[in-house]
Amino acid sequence: MNIYRISFLITVGLLAPFFLNAQSGISAPLFVQSDLKLVSSEFSFTEGCSVDKNGDVFFTDQPNDKIWKYKARDQQLSIFLNKSGRANGTYFDKKGNLITCADEEGQLWSVSPSGKIKIVLISKPGKQFNGPNDIWIHPNGGMYFTDPYYQRDYWKRTAPDLKTEDVYYIPKGSNNVKVAASGMVKPNGIVGTPDGKYLYVADNRTGKTYRFRIEKNGDLIGKELIIERGSDGMTLDNQGRLYLTGAGGVFIYSPDGRLLDQIKVAEIPTNVCFFGKDRDHLFITARKAVYVIKMQSQGVE
């Protein structure tokens, strides 16, 4: 194809996606925008999507105090848990239990596949956590969770017990909770790399996402500003690309923080995860709705 022909096609937009992806370091598009599918809009505020070992998605509808299940194979929705402690962020542990941020009383719950509840973290008297928001479990079993304060209409309290809003770490098999990262305004979305070396944390109030190195004892060091954008929830794919959520859709970034692409969503997305047998579909929670889209990438969570 001669240079004049190429110039013409770029001008009319026929080759624009190819050149955009080439400049962004993507050899082929990661998705087709028209493939975005609305699953349902029957909810009040969806959040906290996580995928189980079968590729099915579990997500929360916090105002209605429910956890829903989306079965990947037959694309069916069902209620998994009716009273969830106002669950927000979730993550599956290696035993298949769904660990949830139950912010009604500042707790973490473990919910078995059959729906049996075990409280794994309780706030200290007079020092209730602000509102456990999002969670990630390290390959060694230790858990990180963010604890911003967002006033809920179902709370009796009207002010936080704690002076700061931090990221916490709980070693595997321990009840000892320690601050892993401080100094942020409202830490929110959180996700770690599958090798357990790095943790990404979004400060949603300041519109920034940071990367930390994870020490053997769980400490977070080497705080690095990686993206000038916050995120409510986030995920990673097997190429280390980071998927952030916010007004406008899902924003896909390279490991070094370059914006690669954007999945446009009408409602404001709150969280995102890969699902399906091959983890090659993206599940998007977006306020009153949930969406799915086929991807040319695979998740690692």
Side-chain angles (χ1 to χ4, degrees):
M1 187 181 294
N2 65 50
I3 188 64
Y4 301 106
R5 175 65 172 160
I6 292 174
S7 298
F8 170 75
L9 291 175
I10 293 174
T11 300
V12 299
L14 296 180
L15 286 184
F18 171 82
F19 278 87
L20 174 61
N21 287 314
Q23 291 171 355
S24 302
I26 304 176
S27 58
L30 290 174
F31 62 91
V32 176
Q33 178 64 47
S34 60
D35 285 346
L36 184 69
K37 174 186 174 183
L38 172 67
V39 175
S40 176
S41 57
E42 63 186 277
F43 314 102
S44 291
F45 195 93
T46 58
E47 249 284 13
C49 50
S50 293
V51 62
D52 70 4
K53 63 181 180 181
N54 298 318
D56 298 327
V57 178
F58 292 69
F59 65 96
T60 63
D61 184 1
Q62 194 172 39
N64 291 320
D65 202 13
K66 300 181 188 300
I67 297 177
W68 287 76
K69 178 180 179 179
Y70 177 74
K71 197 169 183 179
R73 185 172 181 178
D74 57 15
Q75 302 176 20
Q76 293 298 309
L77 285 168
S78 61
I79 294 177
F80 171 66
L81 194 64
N82 255 314
K83 293 294 183 180
S84 67
R86 304 288 182 172
N88 194 336
T90 68
Y91 203 89
F92 278 95
D93 68 14
K94 290 182 178 179
K95 295 181 179 179
N97 301 307
L98 185 64
I99 309 302
T100 70
C101 294
D103 87 353
E104 186 168 29
E105 296 184 27
Q107 301 173 341
L108 295 183
W109 288 11
S110 174
V111 186
S112 73
S114 64
K116 185 178 180 180
I117 298 167
K118 178 183 178 181
I119 300 175
V120 296
L121 178 65
I122 300 175
S123 296
K124 295 179 181 179
K127 293 291 183 181
Q128 182 169 328
F129 288 108
N130 296 311
N133 187 285
D134 204 0
I135 187 167
W136 178 74
I137 302 177
H138 191 279
N140 67 15
M143 296 188 291
Y144 292 90
F145 70 93
T146 55
D147 188 46
Y149 187 90
Y150 294 105
Q151 185 65 49
R152 310 297 192 191
D153 57 12
Y154 48 79
W155 285 348
K156 294 180 180 179
R157 57 182 170 141
T158 57
D161 293 334
L162 305 177
K163 295 181 179 179
T164 57
E165 303 178 27
D166 301 318
V167 181
Y168 291 89
Y169 175 69
I170 311 171
K172 181 182 179 180
S174 172
N175 291 321
N176 296 322
V177 184
K178 66 177 181 179
V179 174
S182 59
M184 284 175 276
V185 180
K186 281 205 181 305
N188 201 314
I190 187 173
V191 70
T193 55
D195 59 10
K197 293 182 179 180
Y198 297 96
L199 186 73
Y200 292 93
V201 181
D203 188 344
N204 224 18
R205 180 59 58 84
T206 62
K208 299 181 187 301
T209 295
Y210 299 94
R211 182 169 58 200
F212 295 85
R213 294 198 307 277
I214 301 174
E215 296 281 82
K216 289 184 178 180
N217 64 358
D219 288 349
L220 300 176
I221 64 170
K223 179 181 178 182
E224 177 186 7
L225 176 61
I226 191 74
I227 298 169
E228 290 278 1
R229 180 186 295 277
S231 187
D232 201 345
M234 60 176 76
T235 193
L236 287 165
D237 70 15
N238 61 357
Q239 298 301 312
R241 291 179 289 244
L242 192 63
Y243 296 65
L244 306 186
T245 58
V250 177
F251 300 86
I252 306 172
Y253 287 86
S254 67
D256 60 359
R258 290 178 295 116
L259 180 62
L260 301 177
D261 218 329
Q262 174 188 353
I263 302 171
K264 296 180 177 64
V265 183
E267 292 86 358
I268 300 176
T270 56
N271 219 314
V272 64
C273 73
F274 283 89
F275 75 99
K277 180 182 177 181
D278 298 318
R279 302 295 193 273
D280 60 353
H281 286 71
L282 207 60
F283 191 92
I284 304 168
T285 58
R287 308 297 167 123
K288 295 183 178 182
V290 292
Y291 294 83
V292 295
I293 187 170
K294 176 71 169 69
M295 302 294 296
Q296 298 301 320
S297 55
Q298 291 180 298
V300 295
E301 293 189 82

